[in-house]
Amino acid sequence: MLGASMAGMLAARVAAEHYREVVVVERDARSEQPAQRRGVPQGCHGHVLQAGGVAVLDELFPGILGDMVAEGAPVWGDGDLGRVILEYAGHRFLPSGHLLNPVTSCLPSRPFLDWHVMQRLSARPNVTILSGHDVIGLTASRDRRRVTGVTIARRDATEAFVLGADLVIDATGRGSRAPVFLEELGYDRPTEDELVISLAYTSQWLRIPSGAIAQHMVATFPKTSDPSTVALLNHENDTWLMTVGVMAGKEPAADFADMLRIARRRIPRHILEVLELAEPVGKTNHYRTPSSRWRRYDGMVRRPEGFVVTGDAVCSFNPIYGQGMTVAAMDAMALRRCLRVGDGDLPRRFFRESAKTIGVAWRNAISADLALPDVAGERTLGIRINNRFSEWVLTAVETDLVVTSQFFRVLGMLDSPARLMRPSILARVIRANRARTQQVREPEMSPSG
């Protein structure tokens, strides 16, 4: 296993069910407590583990959710809409009521979550964490049809050595060198689907008096008139993290004062009043994502046996939609399904299986980004249809609890987006949009005074 990213740790946990020994090669040193890792530069920014990811995490590591909650991590499982403020594409979700089929989302900070997963993973008797090592390249059989291991070196030494393996899994993130390694073995690089989004975001930890904000999450996402996003997350032990992002090359927030300037046009006044009195803790952190990118390993004609790639090393989405960790969890379950059949022809089967989940998340993220006029890209007929339908659904989410309940299950990656097209849901979407059209027409038809 290359990389102890979230994708890497979950894939290693699955591999441990099928292989005698699993070695996780990781650049960063182990920490005795939750801490920001250099190899996870986005870790000091806002993260949400969606309901689908929570379900996978608790299945692979039974009881981990309860442990994190016991140590102070907030969890939202009662469906009380009064505990969240969400706005998608300019549509504000219902401010009150309870979801008819509540989903469970967990809001630990990324360092807190990573540390707990690492503790559980390293406790398994057939898993070894090899910290402080760099990956140099792959080794292969003489005919290069199978990857046989990996060449690695300690970060504080120049001498390299080979670690043999029946299966090598690359989970080294967006900067993965897998395409280069494959080319060195005589294979083509995977083709890439890419959309330039020029996202820049800024985050700041805050000290906020307990009880000052009733919600545990406030998030407003880009809309056509304003490609910014503002998120305020209540993390473990009543700590708060604020993240502000801008897209399409807009000027990012330089400091907390700048963050507040952007937030003033996006979030409710009562939240702003608390933020303006909040105490910043530590430094302001910055991060940039130039594009969403999907390396199409599933489309390769030739690929070696014994080597698969997962997580951001395959596909990195616009992070503001919070899909990354949950898609990584779904990738791990795809790997589990494939390994239960055996490891014959594993790369082809795994890449095709994981592409099903990645494809759904990719279309959702790309469609949302291309709904913004400032993002350059081809608006295909499929994307235009998807965005028009999304607009209808989000209009219904403003007023209809049934549609909202189903939308949360799709958002949490528990259900397919196709569930929003069921006749019972479509009828409610149509009714809500007719009511909205009527409300818009009535003022226009009123006689002027």
PDB file of all heavy atoms in Angstrom, residues 51 76-80 98-105 405-406 408-409 414:
ATOM      1  N   ALA A  51     -22.707  10.642   4.800  1.00  0.00           N
ATOM      2  CA  ALA A  51     -23.363   9.478   5.396  1.00  0.00           C
ATOM      3  C   ALA A  51     -22.872   8.161   4.803  1.00  0.00           C
ATOM      4  O   ALA A  51     -22.686   7.175   5.524  1.00  0.00           O
ATOM      5  CB  ALA A  51     -24.875   9.602   5.232  1.00  0.00           C
ATOM      6  N   TRP A  76     -24.391  14.144  13.380  1.00  0.00           N
ATOM      7  CA  TRP A  76     -25.753  14.561  13.056  1.00  0.00           C
ATOM      8  C   TRP A  76     -26.490  13.339  12.542  1.00  0.00           C
ATOM      9  O   TRP A  76     -26.245  12.861  11.455  1.00  0.00           O
ATOM     10  CB  TRP A  76     -25.737  15.661  11.989  1.00  0.00           C
ATOM     11  CG  TRP A  76     -27.103  16.188  11.652  1.00  0.00           C
ATOM     12  CD1 TRP A  76     -28.029  16.659  12.526  1.00  0.00           C
ATOM     13  CD2 TRP A  76     -27.677  16.316  10.343  1.00  0.00           C
ATOM     14  NE1 TRP A  76     -29.158  17.075  11.841  1.00  0.00           N
ATOM     15  CE2 TRP A  76     -28.970  16.875  10.505  1.00  0.00           C
ATOM     16  CE3 TRP A  76     -27.226  16.016   9.059  1.00  0.00           C
ATOM     17  CZ2 TRP A  76     -29.806  17.123   9.420  1.00  0.00           C
ATOM     18  CZ3 TRP A  76     -28.058  16.280   7.990  1.00  0.00           C
ATOM     19  CH2 TRP A  76     -29.333  16.831   8.173  1.00  0.00           C
ATOM     20  N   GLY A  77     -27.382  12.813  13.378  1.00  0.00           N
ATOM     21  CA  GLY A  77     -28.091  11.605  13.001  1.00  0.00           C
ATOM     22  C   GLY A  77     -29.576  11.644  13.273  1.00  0.00           C
ATOM     23  O   GLY A  77     -30.289  10.684  12.956  1.00  0.00           O
ATOM     24  N   ASP A  78     -30.056  12.742  13.853  1.00  0.00           N
ATOM     25  CA  ASP A  78     -31.478  12.822  14.194  1.00  0.00           C
ATOM     26  C   ASP A  78     -32.317  13.473  13.104  1.00  0.00           C
ATOM     27  O   ASP A  78     -33.546  13.527  13.195  1.00  0.00           O
ATOM     28  CB  ASP A  78     -31.682  13.558  15.518  1.00  0.00           C
ATOM     29  CG  ASP A  78     -31.181  15.000  15.505  1.00  0.00           C
ATOM     30  OD1 ASP A  78     -30.690  15.451  14.436  1.00  0.00           O
ATOM     31  OD2 ASP A  78     -31.271  15.665  16.552  1.00  0.00           O
ATOM     32  N   GLY A  79     -31.668  13.990  12.060  1.00  0.00           N
ATOM     33  CA  GLY A  79     -32.403  14.597  10.957  1.00  0.00           C
ATOM     34  C   GLY A  79     -33.005  15.946  11.259  1.00  0.00           C
ATOM     35  O   GLY A  79     -33.826  16.450  10.474  1.00  0.00           O
ATOM     36  N   ASP A  80     -32.615  16.580  12.364  1.00  0.00           N
ATOM     37  CA  ASP A  80     -33.156  17.889  12.739  1.00  0.00           C
ATOM     38  C   ASP A  80     -32.560  18.962  11.828  1.00  0.00           C
ATOM     39  O   ASP A  80     -31.373  19.295  11.926  1.00  0.00           O
ATOM     40  CB  ASP A  80     -32.816  18.183  14.204  1.00  0.00           C
ATOM     41  CG  ASP A  80     -33.363  19.514  14.673  1.00  0.00           C
ATOM     42  OD1 ASP A  80     -34.053  20.207  13.885  1.00  0.00           O
ATOM     43  OD2 ASP A  80     -33.111  19.878  15.839  1.00  0.00           O
ATOM     44  N   HIS A  98     -37.850  17.628  10.594  1.00  0.00           N
ATOM     45  CA  HIS A  98     -36.964  16.469  10.711  1.00  0.00           C
ATOM     46  C   HIS A  98     -37.050  15.629   9.439  1.00  0.00           C
ATOM     47  O   HIS A  98     -38.144  15.397   8.920  1.00  0.00           O
ATOM     48  CB  HIS A  98     -37.346  15.604  11.917  1.00  0.00           C
ATOM     49  CG  HIS A  98     -36.943  16.197  13.231  1.00  0.00           C
ATOM     50  ND1 HIS A  98     -37.619  17.248  13.830  1.00  0.00           N
ATOM     51  CD2 HIS A  98     -35.906  15.886  14.064  1.00  0.00           C
ATOM     52  CE1 HIS A  98     -37.034  17.554  14.975  1.00  0.00           C
ATOM     53  NE2 HIS A  98     -35.997  16.745  15.144  1.00  0.00           N
ATOM     54  N   LEU A  99     -35.879  15.201   8.942  1.00  0.00           N
ATOM     55  CA  LEU A  99     -35.854  14.329   7.779  1.00  0.00           C
ATOM     56  C   LEU A  99     -36.649  13.066   8.062  1.00  0.00           C
ATOM     57  O   LEU A  99     -36.610  12.525   9.176  1.00  0.00           O
ATOM     58  CB  LEU A  99     -34.413  13.956   7.415  1.00  0.00           C
ATOM     59  CG  LEU A  99     -33.490  15.107   7.014  1.00  0.00           C
ATOM     60  CD1 LEU A  99     -32.094  14.565   6.721  1.00  0.00           C
ATOM     61  CD2 LEU A  99     -34.036  15.844   5.805  1.00  0.00           C
ATOM     62  N   LEU A 100     -37.370  12.586   7.052  1.00  0.00           N
ATOM     63  CA  LEU A 100     -38.216  11.402   7.241  1.00  0.00           C
ATOM     64  C   LEU A 100     -37.381  10.134   7.398  1.00  0.00           C
ATOM     65  O   LEU A 100     -37.803   9.194   8.062  1.00  0.00           O
ATOM     66  CB  LEU A 100     -39.160  11.269   6.042  1.00  0.00           C
ATOM     67  CG  LEU A 100     -40.052  12.489   5.780  1.00  0.00           C
ATOM     68  CD1 LEU A 100     -40.925  12.249   4.550  1.00  0.00           C
ATOM     69  CD2 LEU A 100     -40.921  12.797   7.001  1.00  0.00           C
ATOM     70  N   ASN A 101     -36.213  10.107   6.784  1.00  0.00           N
ATOM     71  CA  ASN A 101     -35.290   8.971   6.927  1.00  0.00           C
ATOM     72  C   ASN A 101     -33.904   9.543   7.191  1.00  0.00           C
ATOM     73  O   ASN A 101     -33.090   9.665   6.275  1.00  0.00           O
ATOM     74  CB  ASN A 101     -35.294   8.088   5.672  1.00  0.00           C
ATOM     75  CG  ASN A 101     -35.313   8.899   4.388  1.00  0.00           C
ATOM     76  OD1 ASN A 101     -35.349  10.127   4.412  1.00  0.00           O
ATOM     77  ND2 ASN A 101     -35.240   8.223   3.261  1.00  0.00           N
ATOM     78  N   PRO A 102     -33.618   9.911   8.453  1.00  0.00           N
ATOM     79  CA  PRO A 102     -32.381  10.623   8.786  1.00  0.00           C
ATOM     80  C   PRO A 102     -31.116   9.903   8.320  1.00  0.00           C
ATOM     81  O   PRO A 102     -31.049   8.675   8.284  1.00  0.00           O
ATOM     82  CB  PRO A 102     -32.432  10.694  10.321  1.00  0.00           C
ATOM     83  CG  PRO A 102     -33.880  10.594  10.657  1.00  0.00           C
ATOM     84  CD  PRO A 102     -34.454   9.657   9.640  1.00  0.00           C
ATOM     85  N   VAL A 103     -30.134  10.691   7.928  1.00  0.00           N
ATOM     86  CA  VAL A 103     -28.816  10.178   7.570  1.00  0.00           C
ATOM     87  C   VAL A 103     -27.855  10.529   8.700  1.00  0.00           C
ATOM     88  O   VAL A 103     -28.132  11.420   9.510  1.00  0.00           O
ATOM     89  CB  VAL A 103     -28.320  10.782   6.248  1.00  0.00           C
ATOM     90  CG1 VAL A 103     -29.267  10.428   5.111  1.00  0.00           C
ATOM     91  CG2 VAL A 103     -28.173  12.299   6.349  1.00  0.00           C
ATOM     92  N   THR A 104     -26.751   9.835   8.771  1.00  0.00           N
ATOM     93  CA  THR A 104     -25.771  10.090   9.826  1.00  0.00           C
ATOM     94  C   THR A 104     -24.506  10.663   9.211  1.00  0.00           C
ATOM     95  O   THR A 104     -23.833   9.996   8.420  1.00  0.00           O
ATOM     96  CB  THR A 104     -25.434   8.801  10.595  1.00  0.00           C
ATOM     97  OG1 THR A 104     -26.615   8.288  11.205  1.00  0.00           O
ATOM     98  CG2 THR A 104     -24.395   9.073  11.680  1.00  0.00           C
ATOM     99  N   SER A 105     -24.202  11.897   9.569  1.00  0.00           N
ATOM    100  CA  SER A 105     -22.964  12.532   9.144  1.00  0.00           C
ATOM    101  C   SER A 105     -22.112  12.817  10.371  1.00  0.00           C
ATOM    102  O   SER A 105     -22.644  13.127  11.440  1.00  0.00           O
ATOM    103  CB  SER A 105     -23.242  13.837   8.396  1.00  0.00           C
ATOM    104  OG  SER A 105     -23.925  13.594   7.183  1.00  0.00           O
ATOM    105  N   SER A 405     -35.681  15.070   2.166  1.00  0.00           N
ATOM    106  CA  SER A 405     -35.210  13.823   2.772  1.00  0.00           C
ATOM    107  C   SER A 405     -34.504  12.943   1.750  1.00  0.00           C
ATOM    108  O   SER A 405     -33.444  12.370   2.024  1.00  0.00           O
ATOM    109  CB  SER A 405     -36.388  13.068   3.397  1.00  0.00           C
ATOM    110  OG  SER A 405     -36.985  13.822   4.435  1.00  0.00           O
ATOM    111  N   GLN A 406     -35.081  12.844   0.552  1.00  0.00           N
ATOM    112  CA  GLN A 406     -34.449  12.038  -0.484  1.00  0.00           C
ATOM    113  C   GLN A 406     -33.162  12.692  -0.987  1.00  0.00           C
ATOM    114  O   GLN A 406     -32.166  12.012  -1.256  1.00  0.00           O
ATOM    115  CB  GLN A 406     -35.413  11.819  -1.652  1.00  0.00           C
ATOM    116  CG  GLN A 406     -34.845  10.961  -2.783  1.00  0.00           C
ATOM    117  CD  GLN A 406     -34.449   9.578  -2.318  1.00  0.00           C
ATOM    118  OE1 GLN A 406     -35.299   8.750  -2.010  1.00  0.00           O
ATOM    119  NE2 GLN A 406     -33.145   9.309  -2.247  1.00  0.00           N
ATOM    120  N   PHE A 408     -31.042  14.478   0.693  1.00  0.00           N
ATOM    121  CA  PHE A 408     -29.965  14.240   1.646  1.00  0.00           C
ATOM    122  C   PHE A 408     -29.369  12.849   1.482  1.00  0.00           C
ATOM    123  O   PHE A 408     -28.170  12.653   1.672  1.00  0.00           O
ATOM    124  CB  PHE A 408     -30.462  14.439   3.080  1.00  0.00           C
ATOM    125  CG  PHE A 408     -30.208  15.817   3.618  1.00  0.00           C
ATOM    126  CD1 PHE A 408     -31.215  16.755   3.674  1.00  0.00           C
ATOM    127  CD2 PHE A 408     -28.947  16.179   4.067  1.00  0.00           C
ATOM    128  CE1 PHE A 408     -30.989  18.026   4.164  1.00  0.00           C
ATOM    129  CE2 PHE A 408     -28.699  17.448   4.558  1.00  0.00           C
ATOM    130  CZ  PHE A 408     -29.725  18.379   4.605  1.00  0.00           C
ATOM    131  N   ARG A 409     -30.184  11.871   1.135  1.00  0.00           N
ATOM    132  CA  ARG A 409     -29.651  10.523   0.922  1.00  0.00           C
ATOM    133  C   ARG A 409     -28.800  10.462  -0.347  1.00  0.00           C
ATOM    134  O   ARG A 409     -27.797   9.752  -0.387  1.00  0.00           O
ATOM    135  CB  ARG A 409     -30.797   9.509   0.859  1.00  0.00           C
ATOM    136  CG  ARG A 409     -31.502   9.303   2.193  1.00  0.00           C
ATOM    137  CD  ARG A 409     -32.469   8.139   2.152  1.00  0.00           C
ATOM    138  NE  ARG A 409     -31.796   6.878   1.887  1.00  0.00           N
ATOM    139  CZ  ARG A 409     -31.177   6.149   2.818  1.00  0.00           C
ATOM    140  NH1 ARG A 409     -31.119   6.560   4.074  1.00  0.00           N
ATOM    141  NH2 ARG A 409     -30.599   5.008   2.497  1.00  0.00           N
ATOM    142  N   LEU A 414     -25.734   7.666  -0.228  1.00  0.00           N
ATOM    143  CA  LEU A 414     -26.413   6.442   0.188  1.00  0.00           C
ATOM    144  C   LEU A 414     -27.317   5.930  -0.922  1.00  0.00           C
ATOM    145  O   LEU A 414     -27.516   4.720  -1.057  1.00  0.00           O
ATOM    146  CB  LEU A 414     -27.242   6.705   1.454  1.00  0.00           C
ATOM    147  CG  LEU A 414     -26.461   6.977   2.736  1.00  0.00           C
ATOM    148  CD1 LEU A 414     -27.416   7.465   3.817  1.00  0.00           C
ATOM    149  CD2 LEU A 414     -25.701   5.735   3.203  1.00  0.00           C
TER     150      LEU A 414
END
